[in-house]
mmCIF file of all heavy atoms in Angstrom:
data_model
loop_
_atom_site.group_PDB
_atom_site.id
_atom_site.type_symbol
_atom_site.label_atom_id
_atom_site.label_comp_id
_atom_site.label_asym_id
_atom_site.label_seq_id
_atom_site.Cartn_x
_atom_site.Cartn_y
_atom_site.Cartn_z
ATOM 1 N N ASP A 1 -14.835 10.982 -0.119
ATOM 2 C CA ASP A 1 -15.551 9.779 -0.541
ATOM 3 C C ASP A 1 -15.641 9.862 -2.030
ATOM 4 O O ASP A 1 -16.515 10.601 -2.587
ATOM 5 C CB ASP A 1 -16.928 9.710 0.112
ATOM 6 C CG ASP A 1 -17.647 8.441 -0.172
ATOM 7 O OD1 ASP A 1 -17.341 7.782 -1.176
ATOM 8 O OD2 ASP A 1 -18.534 8.076 0.631
ATOM 9 N N ASN A 2 -14.824 9.147 -2.721
ATOM 10 C CA ASN A 2 -14.781 9.243 -4.167
ATOM 11 C C ASN A 2 -16.073 8.715 -4.821
ATOM 12 O O ASN A 2 -16.494 9.187 -5.883
ATOM 13 C CB ASN A 2 -13.588 8.496 -4.737
ATOM 14 C CG ASN A 2 -12.285 9.282 -4.598
ATOM 15 O OD1 ASN A 2 -12.301 10.474 -4.228
ATOM 16 N ND2 ASN A 2 -11.149 8.669 -4.858
ATOM 17 N N ALA A 3 -16.713 7.760 -4.165
ATOM 18 C CA ALA A 3 -17.969 7.198 -4.708
ATOM 19 C C ALA A 3 -19.050 8.282 -4.706
ATOM 20 O O ALA A 3 -19.967 8.235 -5.541
ATOM 21 C CB ALA A 3 -18.412 5.978 -3.905
ATOM 22 N N LYS A 4 -18.974 9.183 -3.734
ATOM 23 C CA LYS A 4 -19.954 10.280 -3.622
ATOM 24 C C LYS A 4 -19.463 11.561 -4.222
ATOM 25 O O LYS A 4 -20.193 12.571 -4.201
ATOM 26 C CB LYS A 4 -20.329 10.498 -2.171
ATOM 27 C CG LYS A 4 -21.032 9.307 -1.520
ATOM 28 C CD LYS A 4 -21.390 9.608 -0.075
ATOM 29 C CE LYS A 4 -22.101 8.450 0.576
ATOM 30 N NZ LYS A 4 -22.440 8.749 2.016
ATOM 31 N N ALA A 5 -18.237 11.564 -4.729
ATOM 32 C CA ALA A 5 -17.612 12.790 -5.277
ATOM 33 C C ALA A 5 -17.734 13.942 -4.317
ATOM 34 O O ALA A 5 -18.145 15.075 -4.654
ATOM 35 C CB ALA A 5 -18.264 13.142 -6.635
ATOM 36 N N THR A 6 -17.403 13.693 -3.054
ATOM 37 C CA THR A 6 -17.537 14.672 -1.984
ATOM 38 C C THR A 6 -16.278 14.683 -1.144
ATOM 39 O O THR A 6 -15.736 13.625 -0.790
ATOM 40 C CB THR A 6 -18.754 14.333 -1.099
ATOM 41 O OG1 THR A 6 -19.924 14.357 -1.939
ATOM 42 C CG2 THR A 6 -18.894 15.382 -0.031
ATOM 43 N N VAL A 7 -15.839 15.867 -0.784
ATOM 44 C CA VAL A 7 -14.715 16.054 0.140
ATOM 45 C C VAL A 7 -15.268 16.709 1.399
ATOM 46 O O VAL A 7 -16.178 17.538 1.340
ATOM 47 C CB VAL A 7 -13.577 16.873 -0.482
ATOM 48 C CG1 VAL A 7 -14.035 18.289 -0.881
ATOM 49 C CG2 VAL A 7 -12.382 16.933 0.426
ATOM 50 N N TYR A 8 -14.699 16.361 2.559
ATOM 51 C CA TYR A 8 -15.178 16.836 3.835
ATOM 52 C C TYR A 8 -14.064 17.524 4.628
ATOM 53 O O TYR A 8 -12.895 17.246 4.437
ATOM 54 C CB TYR A 8 -15.679 15.647 4.690
ATOM 55 C CG TYR A 8 -16.736 14.802 3.993
ATOM 56 C CD1 TYR A 8 -16.347 13.662 3.332
ATOM 57 C CD2 TYR A 8 -18.060 15.147 4.051
ATOM 58 C CE1 TYR A 8 -17.305 12.882 2.685
ATOM 59 C CE2 TYR A 8 -19.025 14.370 3.417
ATOM 60 C CZ TYR A 8 -18.644 13.243 2.736
ATOM 61 O OH TYR A 8 -19.596 12.428 2.101
ATOM 62 N N LEU A 9 -14.480 18.387 5.498
ATOM 63 C CA LEU A 9 -13.563 18.989 6.439
ATOM 64 C C LEU A 9 -14.212 18.930 7.820
ATOM 65 O O LEU A 9 -15.162 19.684 8.113
ATOM 66 C CB LEU A 9 -13.214 20.439 6.086
ATOM 67 C CG LEU A 9 -12.161 21.114 6.965
ATOM 68 C CD1 LEU A 9 -10.793 20.437 6.756
ATOM 69 C CD2 LEU A 9 -12.072 22.613 6.699
ATOM 70 N N GLN A 10 -13.708 18.052 8.691
ATOM 71 C CA GLN A 10 -14.190 17.947 10.063
ATOM 72 C C GLN A 10 -13.374 18.929 10.887
ATOM 73 O O GLN A 10 -12.176 18.880 10.971
ATOM 74 C CB GLN A 10 -13.975 16.539 10.595
ATOM 75 C CG GLN A 10 -14.367 16.345 12.045
ATOM 76 C CD GLN A 10 -15.864 16.479 12.246
ATOM 77 O OE1 GLN A 10 -16.652 15.947 11.488
ATOM 78 N NE2 GLN A 10 -16.262 17.198 13.288
ATOM 79 N N MET A 11 -14.089 19.851 11.537
ATOM 80 C CA MET A 11 -13.510 20.912 12.319
ATOM 81 C C MET A 11 -13.904 20.752 13.774
ATOM 82 O O MET A 11 -15.070 20.862 14.121
ATOM 83 C CB MET A 11 -13.892 22.282 11.803
ATOM 84 C CG MET A 11 -13.614 22.484 10.307
ATOM 85 S SD MET A 11 -14.015 24.170 9.717
ATOM 86 C CE MET A 11 -15.786 24.138 9.977
ATOM 87 N N ASN A 12 -12.922 20.476 14.606
ATOM 88 C CA ASN A 12 -13.158 20.297 16.064
ATOM 89 C C ASN A 12 -12.504 21.406 16.801
ATOM 90 O O ASN A 12 -11.595 22.080 16.302
ATOM 91 C CB ASN A 12 -12.598 18.955 16.510
ATOM 92 C CG ASN A 12 -13.297 17.775 15.872
ATOM 93 O OD1 ASN A 12 -14.450 17.830 15.528
ATOM 94 N ND2 ASN A 12 -12.550 16.687 15.719
ATOM 95 N N SER A 13 -12.944 21.630 18.042
ATOM 96 C CA SER A 13 -12.390 22.631 18.931
ATOM 97 C C SER A 13 -12.298 23.972 18.260
ATOM 98 O O SER A 13 -11.310 24.660 18.306
ATOM 99 C CB SER A 13 -10.997 22.205 19.435
ATOM 100 O OG SER A 13 -11.070 20.960 20.113
ATOM 101 N N LEU A 14 -13.375 24.403 17.619
ATOM 102 C CA LEU A 14 -13.383 25.644 16.872
ATOM 103 C C LEU A 14 -13.141 26.839 17.785
ATOM 104 O O LEU A 14 -13.656 26.851 18.909
ATOM 105 C CB LEU A 14 -14.709 25.788 16.121
ATOM 106 C CG LEU A 14 -14.793 24.954 14.861
ATOM 107 C CD1 LEU A 14 -16.272 24.814 14.369
ATOM 108 C CD2 LEU A 14 -13.934 25.512 13.738
ATOM 109 N N GLN A 15 -12.418 27.807 17.303
ATOM 110 C CA GLN A 15 -12.068 28.995 18.013
ATOM 111 C C GLN A 15 -12.509 30.226 17.195
ATOM 112 O O GLN A 15 -12.701 30.127 15.980
ATOM 113 C CB GLN A 15 -10.586 29.047 18.309
ATOM 114 C CG GLN A 15 -10.065 27.909 19.119
ATOM 115 C CD GLN A 15 -10.716 27.816 20.486
ATOM 116 O OE1 GLN A 15 -10.830 28.816 21.159
ATOM 117 N NE2 GLN A 15 -11.160 26.630 20.873
ATOM 118 N N PRO A 16 -12.659 31.374 17.860
ATOM 119 C CA PRO A 16 -13.094 32.559 17.099
ATOM 120 C C PRO A 16 -12.206 32.872 15.929
ATOM 121 O O PRO A 16 -12.682 33.401 14.896
ATOM 122 C CB PRO A 16 -13.024 33.677 18.169
ATOM 123 C CG PRO A 16 -13.340 32.949 19.407
ATOM 124 C CD PRO A 16 -12.656 31.636 19.318
ATOM 125 N N GLU A 17 -10.900 32.607 16.024
ATOM 126 C CA GLU A 17 -10.018 32.900 14.913
ATOM 127 C C GLU A 17 -10.246 31.968 13.695
ATOM 128 O O GLU A 17 -9.640 32.221 12.648
ATOM 129 C CB GLU A 17 -8.541 32.783 15.366
ATOM 130 C CG GLU A 17 -8.187 31.489 16.047
ATOM 131 C CD GLU A 17 -8.243 31.585 17.568
ATOM 132 O OE1 GLU A 17 -9.179 32.265 18.096
ATOM 133 O OE2 GLU A 17 -7.421 30.956 18.273
ATOM 134 N N ASP A 18 -11.053 30.965 13.856
ATOM 135 C CA ASP A 18 -11.467 30.104 12.717
ATOM 136 C C ASP A 18 -12.585 30.746 11.876
ATOM 137 O O ASP A 18 -12.946 30.177 10.858
ATOM 138 C CB ASP A 18 -11.870 28.717 13.189
ATOM 139 C CG ASP A 18 -10.730 27.965 13.855
ATOM 140 O OD1 ASP A 18 -9.589 27.973 13.322
ATOM 141 O OD2 ASP A 18 -10.987 27.348 14.916
ATOM 142 N N THR A 19 -13.165 31.828 12.383
ATOM 143 C CA THR A 19 -14.246 32.465 11.660
ATOM 144 C C THR A 19 -13.745 32.931 10.283
ATOM 145 O O THR A 19 -12.807 33.685 10.178
ATOM 146 C CB THR A 19 -14.767 33.696 12.470
ATOM 147 O OG1 THR A 19 -15.377 33.184 13.688
ATOM 148 C CG2 THR A 19 -15.814 34.418 11.663
ATOM 149 N N ALA A 20 -14.465 32.459 9.258
ATOM 150 C CA ALA A 20 -14.077 32.787 7.905
ATOM 151 C C ALA A 20 -15.078 32.169 6.947
ATOM 152 O O ALA A 20 -15.925 31.361 7.331
ATOM 153 C CB ALA A 20 -12.659 32.249 7.564
ATOM 154 N N VAL A 21 -15.016 32.574 5.669
ATOM 155 C CA VAL A 21 -15.675 31.844 4.622
ATOM 156 C C VAL A 21 -14.750 30.733 4.141
ATOM 157 O O VAL A 21 -13.549 30.984 3.827
ATOM 158 C CB VAL A 21 -16.017 32.780 3.427
ATOM 159 C CG1 VAL A 21 -16.625 31.974 2.303
ATOM 160 C CG2 VAL A 21 -16.966 33.878 3.864
ATOM 161 N N TYR A 22 -15.257 29.520 4.152
ATOM 162 C CA TYR A 22 -14.457 28.341 3.800
ATOM 163 C C TYR A 22 -14.767 27.896 2.357
ATOM 164 O O TYR A 22 -15.976 27.767 2.010
ATOM 165 C CB TYR A 22 -14.721 27.195 4.750
ATOM 166 C CG TYR A 22 -13.996 27.387 6.079
ATOM 167 C CD1 TYR A 22 -14.444 28.345 6.966
ATOM 168 C CD2 TYR A 22 -12.916 26.620 6.435
ATOM 169 C CE1 TYR A 22 -13.795 28.541 8.196
ATOM 170 C CE2 TYR A 22 -12.253 26.808 7.629
ATOM 171 C CZ TYR A 22 -12.690 27.769 8.525
ATOM 172 O OH TYR A 22 -12.042 27.929 9.706
ATOM 173 N N TYR A 23 -13.746 27.700 1.584
ATOM 174 C CA TYR A 23 -13.894 27.312 0.193
ATOM 175 C C TYR A 23 -13.224 25.952 -0.074
ATOM 176 O O TYR A 23 -12.129 25.687 0.476
ATOM 177 C CB TYR A 23 -13.192 28.322 -0.715
ATOM 178 C CG TYR A 23 -13.708 29.722 -0.663
ATOM 179 C CD1 TYR A 23 -13.194 30.642 0.253
ATOM 180 C CD2 TYR A 23 -14.744 30.178 -1.507
ATOM 181 C CE1 TYR A 23 -13.644 31.939 0.327
ATOM 182 C CE2 TYR A 23 -15.228 31.447 -1.428
ATOM 183 C CZ TYR A 23 -14.698 32.326 -0.516
ATOM 184 O OH TYR A 23 -15.152 33.653 -0.486
ATOM 185 N N CYS A 24 -13.853 25.130 -0.879
ATOM 186 C CA CYS A 24 -13.151 23.992 -1.443
ATOM 187 C C CYS A 24 -12.747 24.297 -2.857
ATOM 188 O O CYS A 24 -13.351 25.137 -3.534
ATOM 189 C CB CYS A 24 -14.005 22.717 -1.367
ATOM 190 S SG CYS A 24 -15.454 22.672 -2.424
ATOM 191 N N ALA A 25 -11.688 23.630 -3.306
ATOM 192 C CA ALA A 25 -11.138 23.954 -4.600
ATOM 193 C C ALA A 25 -10.446 22.724 -5.181
ATOM 194 O O ALA A 25 -9.975 21.867 -4.465
ATOM 195 C CB ALA A 25 -10.175 25.106 -4.542
ATOM 196 N N ALA A 26 -10.318 22.689 -6.501
ATOM 197 C CA ALA A 26 -9.609 21.641 -7.238
ATOM 198 C C ALA A 26 -8.577 22.223 -8.106
ATOM 199 O O ALA A 26 -8.810 23.279 -8.736
ATOM 200 C CB ALA A 26 -10.591 20.753 -8.042
ATOM 201 N N PRO A 27 -7.397 21.603 -8.244
ATOM 202 C CA PRO A 27 -6.394 22.116 -9.184
ATOM 203 C C PRO A 27 -6.877 22.004 -10.600
ATOM 204 O O PRO A 27 -7.785 21.268 -10.911
ATOM 205 C CB PRO A 27 -5.180 21.184 -8.906
ATOM 206 C CG PRO A 27 -5.439 20.504 -7.607
ATOM 207 C CD PRO A 27 -6.922 20.411 -7.520
ATOM 208 N N GLY A 28 -6.150 22.685 -11.497
ATOM 209 C CA GLY A 28 -6.487 22.590 -12.892
ATOM 210 C C GLY A 28 -5.956 21.343 -13.616
ATOM 211 O O GLY A 28 -6.248 21.153 -14.790
ATOM 212 N N THR A 29 -5.186 20.542 -12.871
ATOM 213 C CA THR A 29 -4.531 19.377 -13.448
ATOM 214 C C THR A 29 -4.824 18.156 -12.607
ATOM 215 O O THR A 29 -4.803 18.196 -11.392
ATOM 216 C CB THR A 29 -3.012 19.585 -13.541
ATOM 217 O OG1 THR A 29 -2.744 20.752 -14.312
ATOM 218 C CG2 THR A 29 -2.332 18.401 -14.209
ATOM 219 N N GLN A 30 -5.100 17.058 -13.267
ATOM 220 C CA GLN A 30 -5.332 15.756 -12.587
ATOM 221 C C GLN A 30 -4.023 15.296 -11.927
ATOM 222 O O GLN A 30 -2.945 15.619 -12.387
ATOM 223 C CB GLN A 30 -5.823 14.720 -13.551
ATOM 224 C CG GLN A 30 -7.223 15.025 -14.123
ATOM 225 C CD GLN A 30 -7.677 13.902 -15.045
ATOM 226 O OE1 GLN A 30 -6.918 12.966 -15.362
ATOM 227 N NE2 GLN A 30 -8.927 14.017 -15.544
ATOM 228 N N LEU A 31 -4.158 14.547 -10.817
ATOM 229 C CA LEU A 31 -3.037 13.906 -10.133
ATOM 230 C C LEU A 31 -1.975 14.933 -9.728
ATOM 231 O O LEU A 31 -0.771 14.620 -9.817
ATOM 232 C CB LEU A 31 -2.482 12.781 -11.019
ATOM 233 C CG LEU A 31 -3.469 11.756 -11.547
ATOM 234 C CD1 LEU A 31 -2.713 10.716 -12.389
ATOM 235 C CD2 LEU A 31 -4.223 11.103 -10.395
ATOM 236 N N TYR A 32 -2.399 16.108 -9.350
ATOM 237 C CA TYR A 32 -1.482 17.166 -8.960
ATOM 238 C C TYR A 32 -1.771 17.545 -7.505
ATOM 239 O O TYR A 32 -2.901 17.925 -7.151
ATOM 240 C CB TYR A 32 -1.682 18.371 -9.869
ATOM 241 C CG TYR A 32 -0.681 19.478 -9.700
ATOM 242 C CD1 TYR A 32 0.682 19.260 -9.749
ATOM 243 C CD2 TYR A 32 -1.094 20.799 -9.449
ATOM 244 C CE1 TYR A 32 1.609 20.273 -9.597
ATOM 245 C CE2 TYR A 32 -0.203 21.813 -9.271
ATOM 246 C CZ TYR A 32 1.153 21.539 -9.352
ATOM 247 O OH TYR A 32 2.051 22.581 -9.170
ATOM 248 N N TYR A 33 -0.777 17.508 -6.692
ATOM 249 C CA TYR A 33 -0.875 17.675 -5.228
ATOM 250 C C TYR A 33 -0.111 18.947 -4.832
ATOM 251 O O TYR A 33 1.098 18.987 -4.935
ATOM 252 C CB TYR A 33 -0.263 16.471 -4.540
ATOM 253 C CG TYR A 33 -0.441 16.390 -3.032
ATOM 254 C CD1 TYR A 33 -1.615 15.964 -2.475
ATOM 255 C CD2 TYR A 33 0.622 16.739 -2.203
ATOM 256 C CE1 TYR A 33 -1.751 15.903 -1.092
ATOM 257 C CE2 TYR A 33 0.499 16.654 -0.844
ATOM 258 C CZ TYR A 33 -0.704 16.230 -0.285
ATOM 259 O OH TYR A 33 -0.841 16.100 1.088
ATOM 260 N N THR A 34 -0.845 19.967 -4.445
ATOM 261 C CA THR A 34 -0.226 21.228 -4.107
ATOM 262 C C THR A 34 -1.103 22.048 -3.165
ATOM 263 O O THR A 34 -2.308 21.917 -3.154
ATOM 264 C CB THR A 34 0.054 22.082 -5.371
ATOM 265 O OG1 THR A 34 0.704 23.274 -5.022
ATOM 266 C CG2 THR A 34 -1.246 22.416 -6.073
ATOM 267 N N ASP A 35 -0.440 22.865 -2.334
ATOM 268 C CA ASP A 35 -1.174 23.796 -1.476
ATOM 269 C C ASP A 35 -1.104 25.244 -2.007
ATOM 270 O O ASP A 35 -1.525 26.167 -1.319
ATOM 271 C CB ASP A 35 -0.675 23.765 -0.019
ATOM 272 C CG ASP A 35 0.808 24.137 0.115
ATOM 273 O OD1 ASP A 35 1.440 24.473 -0.922
ATOM 274 O OD2 ASP A 35 1.302 24.077 1.249
ATOM 275 N N ARG A 36 -0.551 25.398 -3.205
ATOM 276 C CA ARG A 36 -0.456 26.729 -3.810
ATOM 277 C C ARG A 36 -1.809 27.138 -4.357
ATOM 278 O O ARG A 36 -2.327 26.480 -5.275
ATOM 279 C CB ARG A 36 0.620 26.746 -4.909
ATOM 280 C CG ARG A 36 2.031 26.617 -4.367
ATOM 281 C CD ARG A 36 3.013 26.619 -5.527
ATOM 282 N NE ARG A 36 2.832 27.782 -6.418
ATOM 283 C CZ ARG A 36 3.607 28.031 -7.459
ATOM 284 N NH1 ARG A 36 4.631 27.202 -7.750
ATOM 285 N NH2 ARG A 36 3.379 29.082 -8.217
ATOM 286 N N GLN A 37 -2.326 28.250 -3.880
ATOM 287 C CA GLN A 37 -3.617 28.699 -4.344
ATOM 288 C C GLN A 37 -3.652 28.999 -5.830
ATOM 289 O O GLN A 37 -4.678 28.801 -6.493
ATOM 290 C CB GLN A 37 -4.048 29.975 -3.576
ATOM 291 C CG GLN A 37 -4.302 29.764 -2.089
ATOM 292 C CD GLN A 37 -4.825 30.994 -1.444
ATOM 293 O OE1 GLN A 37 -5.760 31.658 -1.959
ATOM 294 N NE2 GLN A 37 -4.271 31.358 -0.310
ATOM 295 N N ASP A 38 -2.536 29.474 -6.377
ATOM 296 C CA ASP A 38 -2.470 29.832 -7.764
ATOM 297 C C ASP A 38 -2.537 28.640 -8.687
ATOM 298 O O ASP A 38 -2.690 28.808 -9.921
ATOM 299 C CB ASP A 38 -1.250 30.726 -8.089
ATOM 300 C CG ASP A 38 0.049 30.035 -7.820
ATOM 301 O OD1 ASP A 38 0.089 29.001 -7.182
ATOM 302 O OD2 ASP A 38 1.070 30.577 -8.307
ATOM 303 N N ARG A 39 -2.433 27.430 -8.149
ATOM 304 C CA ARG A 39 -2.543 26.236 -8.962
ATOM 305 C C ARG A 39 -3.966 25.660 -8.937
ATOM 306 O O ARG A 39 -4.199 24.638 -9.585
ATOM 307 C CB ARG A 39 -1.541 25.173 -8.525
ATOM 308 C CG ARG A 39 -0.100 25.679 -8.493
ATOM 309 C CD ARG A 39 0.315 26.271 -9.831
ATOM 310 N NE ARG A 39 0.259 25.270 -10.880
ATOM 311 C CZ ARG A 39 0.490 25.549 -12.175
ATOM 312 N NH1 ARG A 39 0.737 26.773 -12.528
ATOM 313 N NH2 ARG A 39 0.383 24.557 -13.058
ATOM 314 N N TYR A 40 -4.862 26.268 -8.180
ATOM 315 C CA TYR A 40 -6.238 25.769 -8.105
ATOM 316 C C TYR A 40 -7.092 26.565 -9.085
ATOM 317 O O TYR A 40 -7.098 27.825 -9.088
ATOM 318 C CB TYR A 40 -6.761 25.916 -6.659
ATOM 319 C CG TYR A 40 -6.261 24.781 -5.806
ATOM 320 C CD1 TYR A 40 -4.962 24.778 -5.329
ATOM 321 C CD2 TYR A 40 -7.079 23.702 -5.493
ATOM 322 C CE1 TYR A 40 -4.499 23.734 -4.548
ATOM 323 C CE2 TYR A 40 -6.621 22.672 -4.702
ATOM 324 C CZ TYR A 40 -5.333 22.678 -4.252
ATOM 325 O OH TYR A 40 -4.863 21.638 -3.463
ATOM 326 N N THR A 41 -7.841 25.868 -9.881
ATOM 327 C CA THR A 41 -8.620 26.447 -10.956
ATOM 328 C C THR A 41 -10.097 26.535 -10.618
ATOM 329 O O THR A 41 -10.782 27.532 -10.957
ATOM 330 C CB THR A 41 -8.436 25.643 -12.253
ATOM 331 O OG1 THR A 41 -7.054 25.649 -12.618
ATOM 332 C CG2 THR A 41 -9.268 26.209 -13.372
ATOM 333 N N TYR A 42 -10.627 25.514 -9.980
ATOM 334 C CA TYR A 42 -12.069 25.388 -9.696
ATOM 335 C C TYR A 42 -12.344 25.668 -8.255
ATOM 336 O O TYR A 42 -11.722 25.049 -7.379
ATOM 337 C CB TYR A 42 -12.541 24.003 -10.107
ATOM 338 C CG TYR A 42 -12.136 23.609 -11.523
ATOM 339 C CD1 TYR A 42 -11.135 22.667 -11.729
ATOM 340 C CD2 TYR A 42 -12.764 24.175 -12.578
ATOM 341 C CE1 TYR A 42 -10.776 22.322 -13.013
ATOM 342 C CE2 TYR A 42 -12.396 23.844 -13.873
ATOM 343 C CZ TYR A 42 -11.385 22.928 -14.089
ATOM 344 O OH TYR A 42 -10.991 22.577 -15.370
ATOM 345 N N TRP A 43 -13.280 26.552 -8.012
ATOM 346 C CA TRP A 43 -13.618 27.001 -6.648
ATOM 347 C C TRP A 43 -15.098 26.917 -6.370
ATOM 348 O O TRP A 43 -15.898 27.237 -7.274
ATOM 349 C CB TRP A 43 -13.114 28.456 -6.430
ATOM 350 C CG TRP A 43 -11.629 28.570 -6.461
ATOM 351 C CD1 TRP A 43 -10.858 28.671 -7.541
ATOM 352 C CD2 TRP A 43 -10.765 28.617 -5.342
ATOM 353 N NE1 TRP A 43 -9.519 28.780 -7.196
ATOM 354 C CE2 TRP A 43 -9.445 28.756 -5.838
ATOM 355 C CE3 TRP A 43 -10.975 28.589 -3.955
ATOM 356 C CZ2 TRP A 43 -8.352 28.799 -4.973
ATOM 357 C CZ3 TRP A 43 -9.883 28.628 -3.105
ATOM 358 C CH2 TRP A 43 -8.589 28.762 -3.621
ATOM 359 N N GLY A 44 -15.431 26.599 -5.159
ATOM 360 C CA GLY A 44 -16.830 26.691 -4.739
ATOM 361 C C GLY A 44 -17.175 28.089 -4.351
ATOM 362 O O GLY A 44 -16.365 29.023 -4.379
ATOM 363 N N GLN A 45 -18.435 28.291 -3.992
ATOM 364 C CA GLN A 45 -18.941 29.601 -3.628
ATOM 365 C C GLN A 45 -18.618 30.000 -2.216
ATOM 366 O O GLN A 45 -18.751 31.171 -1.857
ATOM 367 C CB GLN A 45 -20.457 29.648 -3.853
ATOM 368 C CG GLN A 45 -21.310 29.111 -2.712
ATOM 369 C CD GLN A 45 -21.246 27.591 -2.536
ATOM 370 O OE1 GLN A 45 -20.776 26.856 -3.432
ATOM 371 N NE2 GLN A 45 -21.705 27.114 -1.400
ATOM 372 N N GLY A 46 -18.194 29.036 -1.420
ATOM 373 C CA GLY A 46 -17.865 29.282 -0.033
ATOM 374 C C GLY A 46 -19.034 29.077 0.913
ATOM 375 O O GLY A 46 -20.194 29.230 0.570
ATOM 376 N N THR A 47 -18.715 28.712 2.157
ATOM 377 C CA THR A 47 -19.714 28.587 3.217
ATOM 378 C C THR A 47 -19.174 29.306 4.466
ATOM 379 O O THR A 47 -18.004 29.152 4.842
ATOM 380 C CB THR A 47 -20.042 27.102 3.480
ATOM 381 O OG1 THR A 47 -21.119 27.049 4.431
ATOM 382 C CG2 THR A 47 -18.846 26.329 4.013
ATOM 383 N N GLN A 48 -20.018 30.057 5.107
ATOM 384 C CA GLN A 48 -19.622 30.883 6.239
ATOM 385 C C GLN A 48 -19.544 30.066 7.517
ATOM 386 O O GLN A 48 -20.501 29.355 7.842
ATOM 387 C CB GLN A 48 -20.565 32.050 6.411
ATOM 388 C CG GLN A 48 -20.294 32.925 7.624
ATOM 389 C CD GLN A 48 -19.043 33.763 7.469
ATOM 390 O OE1 GLN A 48 -18.872 34.427 6.421
ATOM 391 N NE2 GLN A 48 -18.156 33.719 8.451
#
């Protein structure tokens, strides 16, 4: 929701193997689409 500056992750049918600390992150460059972790600059603290 860009108006709220918030990104969401809806997780259904959770399984034990989904147990982890979950982080959101933003790349260091605007308008850049990538799944490479090394291209992400800004990271949250994580939620268990």
Side-chain angles (χ1 to χ4, degrees):
D1 186 337
N2 283 350
K4 296 181 179 179
T6 301
V7 62
Y8 306 95
L9 185 67
Q10 178 68 44
M11 305 184 294
N12 297 330
S13 301
L14 283 163
Q15 301 299 313
E17 53 264 37
D18 296 315
T19 295
V21 176
Y22 284 71
Y23 300 90
C24 67
T29 304
Q30 295 180 355
L31 309 180
Y32 187 56
Y33 186 81
T34 182
D35 62 1
R36 290 179 54 177
Q37 295 185 47
D38 62 346
R39 305 306 298 174
Y40 282 76
T41 299
Y42 308 106
W43 294 82
Q45 83 289 346
T47 185
Q48 177 71 49

